Amino acid sequence: MGVRHLQTFMDRKVANGTYSVRMDREIRNANENTPEASSLVVIDLMALFSLFCFDGRGLLCGSQVRRVERMASDFFKRLTDAGAELVFFYDGKLQANKYETWTTRQNEKYYRMLDIIDAIDARTPLEKVAARFENEIPSNTCLKLRRVAKRHGKVIIEMAMECDQALAIYATKHNALAVISHDTDFLIFEGNWQLWHAKRINLTTLVAQAFNRQALLRTLGLQWQQMAVWATLAGTDFFKYDELEPFLNNLGPHHRKFYKLADYVRSLPIKRNLEANTINGILGRVYKNRRMPTEALEWFQQSVAFYQIDTPTGGTPIAVDDPFNFLLQAEHNFSYTVLTGAPFNCTLFFFDYRTAEFGNYFDIIEPMIARIGGVLLYHYQHERNHMTVCVKRSHDEPYTFVTVPVTFPHEITPPEVKDLVSKEANLQTSLLQRKLQLLRWVCSEDLLNQEQFNVIPPALLLTVLVLYRLRQIGAVRMFEADLLLLIAHQDTHELFDPLEEPYPQRLILRAFRLAFLFQKVYTHLARFAKAVGLSQEYRPSTPYDGLRFHNLYRVWTSMRVEPHHIEPIAEWRLYQNARH
């Protein structure tokens, strides 16, 4: 997230701290006017979710998935048409030293989401909810931005170190023209690239607001090698602001804290490698008249090391002889996580544990997690028979690490993992039916031999399986399942124009909750489908349009649904046989 309050400081206090740039023009200038310059643009892909999820009303409806992903594709294409080389960075896994920060943020996010749910429940007009919670509505990370990005550039999934650090190293090493992110950490990393703000891009004009990193240095009177210590003492994800606040308050008035902190940093004998005496002196000053936590030295060192892009430390390097490296090469990061025993994170989005209307979210997904673990660990049972999941299981329980014993299949033998992920055409063909069996079994044990699911078009199979699971636990009514499948069919075949869909004035609370539950379970099952080696044909982006769903939901609840309404999907409604 970066240094607290630094973005506001750049906006209000730093002379010429921000400026506007036409991205396409800047890219063309780099190519035409200075041939030796780079047209490389390195992008923090997670930061772009907020750019494409700017429509608060649409987001609260669950997004218009096809429209948003097309918007992202058009944006990337305009940059490459201007001559840019795009490289995207994406978090591969949560680093161990960030677990506490991540769980704290997720716990806080849960209660913010409840405030939005309560506003919907109070029948507040959609437009007012979107305006009131403009800064709290989370981006829809169920969108397949990574898949969209791959069509326009190189995607690097960072597993070994902090993603931001890896991105900064890459951008500096390859002489990038610009970095796109909204994280203020990029104001601290040394490098000659421009920093374009991911949340302040006009998708129509391609005008972006950029941060003037040199202006920040001038304002503070610091050099690059001093910035890591300055940022660390201002408060980072490693060395929390709450720990540093008493120290910062002692430096002077709040509105002068960054200046006073810079004065203090200039007084320090800072070299590329900080000496122990210097660090001890800094921590002694920070905790003057306070007890120093035993972790303080580690916090400080981790934070300073994070900003070093010449000699990076702090990550967990991938061993050269790692037997599962082939999974990273094949971009099967979830499978790699399972086989190496790393924690798997399960977020909630809009799920309300205060009510049992949809059951318990963890109870919905836990059996599927256990079974996909059984598939992947089947040939490694002697090494591990469980998975570690970070999840929130009830309203009162915070996010916590849970050990999930895996469920091994008995009536079917999974192929070796290397065969599941193989791209060899003959092997893929020969294993297809077994992969489909495994996916059905992961969804529900009673589906292993249900061959009638083979009549479902590949693009709709996941939707039907998700609805089967939700029907199985009593979370979705029959007309709701039919409506979701009908919209999936219409969206897949582009039988309606998302731009023509009107915004609903108010949302029905049950429909609001169901829209996000459907997408979250779909995302899990799509991940599992990839793990068993099924192609993108079987795991498309969620075929869902939030505006159409909410508009039709209101219509369908006020009328009798007749056979002709569901005629296009009649033969695929296999979830009607789901047993509770």
Side-chain angles (χ1 to χ4, degrees):
M1 296 296 289
V3 179
R4 187 186 292 196
H5 304 137
L6 183 52
Q7 181 170 297
T8 303
F9 185 72
M10 292 294 295
D11 289 336
R12 299 178 182 177
K13 301 293 185 180
V14 177
N16 302 313
T18 63
Y19 59 96
S20 294
V21 58
R22 265 280 300 271
M23 293 188 292
D24 54 342
R25 186 177 297 162
E26 198 75 10
I27 292 164
R28 288 191 178 96
N29 287 342
N31 282 326
E32 296 171 4
N33 299 338
T34 50
E36 72 280 2
S38 170
S39 59
L40 171 65
V41 178
V42 189
I43 299 174
D44 173 2
L45 193 53
M46 280 298 295
L48 290 193
F49 278 97
S50 57
L51 174 65
F52 301 122
C53 293
F54 64 88
D55 176 11
R57 287 184 295 170
L59 195 53
L60 288 170
C61 291
S63 299
Q64 293 183 285
V65 176
R66 173 159 51 100
R67 179 184 178 186
V68 174
E69 292 186 0
R70 187 166 292 171
M71 183 193 313
S73 184
D74 290 345
F75 171 67
F76 299 148
K77 184 177 185 300
R78 291 177 70 187
L79 295 184
T80 56
D81 284 350
E85 174 194 355
L86 302 183
V87 175
F88 303 86
F89 272 76
Y90 196 83
D91 288 288
K93 69 173 183 178
L94 187 65
Q95 298 295 318
N97 55 17
K98 285 291 191 72
Y99 288 156
E100 182 180 353
T101 299
W102 185 86
T103 55
T104 298
R105 287 175 179 162
Q106 292 300 321
N107 288 325
E108 293 170 350
K109 179 180 175 182
Y110 172 72
Y111 289 101
R112 292 199 305 271
M113 297 310 98
L114 293 186
D115 291 339
I116 297 174
I117 290 173
D118 290 342
I120 300 291
D121 196 20
R123 303 197 74 251
T124 307
L126 177 60
E127 190 170 7
K128 288 188 176 181
V129 178
R132 184 192 308 172
F133 297 100
E134 179 181 4
N135 297 320
E136 280 76 44
I137 303 173
S139 299
N140 188 348
T141 52
C142 295
L143 299 166
K144 302 291 186 184
L145 279 194
R146 197 167 79 192
R147 184 178 295 177
V148 176
K150 283 182 66 176
R151 298 199 292 266
H152 299 276
K154 179 180 181 181
V155 176
I156 297 175
I157 303 171
E158 183 54 47
M159 299 289 288
M161 66 174 68
E162 287 289 336
C163 189
D164 290 349
Q165 184 185 32
L167 191 159
I169 291 171
Y170 187 95
T172 302
K173 179 180 178 181
H174 293 86
N175 191 31
L177 169 66
V179 166
I180 299 179
S181 180
H182 56 57
D183 197 320
T184 53
D185 281 330
F186 288 99
L187 290 165
I188 311 302
F189 292 117
E190 186 174 358
N192 293 323
W193 29 266
Q194 299 179 46
L195 179 56
W196 298 344
H197 197 305
K199 288 185 177 180
R200 301 178 183 179
I201 296 173
N202 186 312
L203 291 171
T204 302
T205 64
L206 293 186
V207 172
Q209 187 178 72
F211 282 130
N212 189 335
R213 301 160 74 238
Q214 293 295 332
L216 175 62
L217 286 178
R218 288 194 298 270
T219 298
L220 297 176
L222 297 176
Q223 298 176 352
W224 279 119
Q225 68 178 15
Q226 297 170 308
M227 289 298 288
V229 173
W230 180 85
T232 296
L233 295 179
T236 66
D237 285 350
F238 300 94
F239 209 160
K240 300 293 189 297
Y241 180 83
D242 291 346
E243 286 289 324
L244 293 154
E245 190 172 15
F247 158 71
L248 293 170
N249 289 339
N250 286 334
L251 291 178
H254 180 78
H255 68 281
R256 298 287 300 170
K257 70 174 182 179
F258 282 162
Y259 301 104
K260 292 296 185 181
L261 181 58
D263 292 341
Y264 172 66
V265 171
R266 278 197 303 275
S267 72
L268 299 171
I270 292 178
K271 301 176 182 177
R272 181 64 69 178
N273 295 312
L274 287 173
E275 296 180 355
N277 288 341
T278 302
I279 297 174
N280 291 333
I282 292 171
L283 293 177
R285 175 71 182 272
V286 168
Y287 287 100
K288 185 178 181 180
N289 299 323
R290 290 191 294 151
R291 186 188 68 83
M292 184 188 302
T294 55
E295 305 93 340
L297 176 61
E298 182 182 4
W299 294 337
F300 181 88
Q301 290 176 326
Q302 284 181 341
S303 182
V304 171
F306 169 69
Y307 293 110
Q308 309 307 314
I309 59 175
D310 51 353
T311 55
T313 59
T316 305
I318 305 299
V320 175
D321 58 350
D322 185 342
F324 302 117
N325 252 339
F326 70 94
L327 290 170
L328 297 181
Q329 300 300 318
E331 297 185 7
H332 278 263
N333 299 80
F334 170 73
S335 298
Y336 181 86
T337 296
V338 174
L339 289 170
T340 56
F344 166 52
N345 303 322
C346 292
T347 54
L348 290 175
F349 219 167
F350 286 103
F351 191 88
D352 187 354
Y353 270 120
R354 298 172 301 180
T355 173
E357 183 177 14
F358 292 98
N360 179 290
Y361 178 70
F362 184 65
D363 290 345
I364 295 172
I365 62 172
E366 188 270 342
M368 296 192 296
I369 292 173
R371 286 192 286 270
I372 191 62
V375 171
L376 294 172
L377 291 170
Y378 187 86
H379 296 283
Y380 303 93
Q381 296 184 38
H382 60 287
E383 297 179 18
R384 188 177 299 107
N385 61 1
H386 66 273
M387 293 172 60
T388 302
V389 181
C390 187
V391 67
K392 181 178 177 65
R393 296 182 294 182
S394 69
H395 178 70
D396 295 318
E397 180 185 85
Y399 275 83
T400 188
F401 291 95
V402 177
T403 298
V404 176
V406 303
T407 302
F408 294 110
H410 298 296
E411 297 181 39
I412 183 174
T413 301
E416 294 274 0
V417 173
K418 62 179 176 57
D419 292 333
L420 283 176
V421 305
S422 172
K423 301 293 186 184
E424 202 276 310
N426 290 335
L427 188 58
Q428 285 185 326
T429 301
S430 65
L431 291 179
L432 177 59
Q433 290 308 313
R434 200 163 10 148
K435 290 177 179 181
L436 291 171
Q437 274 189 291
L438 287 169
L439 180 63
R440 295 198 302 268
W441 178 79
V442 167
C443 175
S444 179
E445 290 183 341
D446 62 347
L447 294 183
L448 177 64
N449 296 312
Q450 299 299 313
E451 301 297 331
Q452 65 267 37
F453 277 77
N454 290 339
V455 305
I456 300 170
L460 296 177
L461 177 61
L462 279 186
T463 297
V464 175
L465 289 175
V466 169
L467 295 173
Y468 187 96
R469 177 61 185 152
L470 294 179
R471 284 284 297 162
Q472 188 179 50
I473 51 94
V476 63
R477 298 164 184 164
M478 195 63 194
F479 89 88
E480 294 168 336
D482 288 340
L483 178 56
L484 284 164
L485 179 56
L486 180 64
I487 289 175
H489 164 69
Q490 294 173 342
D491 188 73
T492 298
H493 295 284
E494 300 188 12
L495 300 180
F496 66 94
D497 183 355
L499 293 173
E500 297 296 322
E501 289 295 322
Y503 289 98
Q505 289 189 330
R506 289 178 172 82
L507 301 185
I508 297 172
L509 182 59
R510 178 175 171 84
F512 172 78
R513 289 171 167 155
L514 177 59
F516 290 102
L517 176 61
F518 169 74
Q519 289 190 65
K520 287 300 292 183
V521 178
Y522 186 99
T523 299
H524 280 296
L525 206 56
R527 183 181 293 115
F528 303 156
K530 181 176 181 179
V532 300
L534 288 169
S535 66
Q536 288 188 15
E537 178 186 16
Y538 287 92
R539 44 185 180 86
S541 298
T542 315
Y544 173 84
D545 186 286
L547 272 59
R548 191 167 184 82
F549 172 70
H550 282 280
N551 289 330
L552 288 179
Y553 192 98
R554 190 171 294 278
V555 172
W556 280 34
T557 54
S558 62
M559 72 174 198
R560 178 183 176 87
V561 178
E562 301 289 350
H564 70 271
H565 292 127
I566 57 175
E567 182 179 356
I569 61 168
E571 64 178 315
W572 309 323
R573 299 167 67 239
L574 302 182
Y575 43 76
Q576 61 188 321
N577 300 319
R579 297 195 300 270
H580 291 275

